[in-house]
Amino acid sequence: MIHVSEFKDLEYLSIHKVGNASQEEPLICSQAPLELQDETISQLLLSYFIQPFTNSAEYFRFYHEADLQLNEIFQYCRRIFEDRDNFHEQSINIAKHLYKHSTHPKIKGGELYIAYFSKCQVDGEEVEALGIFKSENRDTYLKVFLANESYQVNYEDGININKLDKGCLVFNTEDENGYKVSIIDSISKQNEAVYWKDAFLQVQRREDSYHQTELAVNMCKQFIHDKLPGEYEISRVDQVDLLNKSAAYFKEKEQFQLDDFAQEVLGHPDAIASFKEYREQFQQEYQQEIPDEFDISAPALKKQQKVFKSILKLDRNFSVYIHGNRELIERGFDEATNMYYYKLMFENEA
């Protein structure tokens, strides 16, 4: 995890204006880094840049289909880490690279901030870091001031320091694998936003415990939800029960072990064999490897909790939340009404 309190010494900061190239908006590069003389402004900038990353436990790395050395942002960052005298020159190269990829008609122009931090803590390791941040949206602020012994109200156009639009932190560690990279994109669900992560930065997820946990959770959910019903006569209640058992396994264990999970959650030899076969299919389809054993990432599990939905939806009339003993719910068919029903057994009613 990234510790904001451990980010120190925002030593260099260059600001450039990157417009939308397809709209013929200009690229305006500053001639020199900003001189940070006001401590309050430095702290506000530090909070603006770093605060959005504090809950991030997901890491990426720079890559290139042919050769990592051909990834331009990777090269610009490496030149800065190797010699800080290259900072401003490489910040301009980063701005030019972003401008080249700012061609989608919906991409907004904005200020690009390139920052160098001489010291920070990431996952217990003290390293230097580079930040690449972009502000695209501006807000209107009321300004109340005293003039001629009376208060006046005016407005100003500015940047909300609590809303970072796009950000990237590059930590100077594991450079041979493309560095350790953390990313923020406030509009990542929109199609036009893929330019930040895929085109501009060219990053892919690291194969760490976070990534492995996320993959395994999705694989288990898809197996129970999609694969099992096609091979066995399994009720929706039994599916929910298996999802609950899966959730309990990931929550209670510190390490995922394939054989252990299959035995505890599935139990039946045929279902276990089908599950292991499905893992092979899943890995081939998504071109991602899920090891037999790995440490379970609590942050990844928390993010994926919605996958384990324990809700039984009956038409549009009822939603039944199933959290406990599978034996306390029974399914039947009423011939008089020609409808299905569920019988729920309980001791106390709240």
Side-chain angles (χ1 to χ4, degrees), residues 16-29 95 98-99 102 108-111:
H16 311 294
K17 183 66 175 289
V18 180
N20 186 310
S22 66
Q23 305 292 337
E24 297 185 353
E25 296 174 354
L27 167 66
I28 304 174
C29 295
L98 178 60
Y99 186 66
S102 300
K108 297 179 180 178
E111 290 78 22

Side-chain angles (χ1 to χ4, degrees), residues 230-248:
E231 295 185 350
Y232 306 96
E233 289 186 6
I234 180 171
S235 69
R236 183 72 183 103
V237 173
D238 288 329
Q239 282 183 283
V240 170
D241 184 50
L242 288 175
L243 287 174
N244 282 337
K245 289 181 178 178
S246 299

Side-chain angles (χ1 to χ4, degrees), residues 35 103 159 189 203 206 248 350:
E35 293 187 12
T103 55
I159 297 168
K189 294 182 180 180
V203 293
R206 289 161 43 92

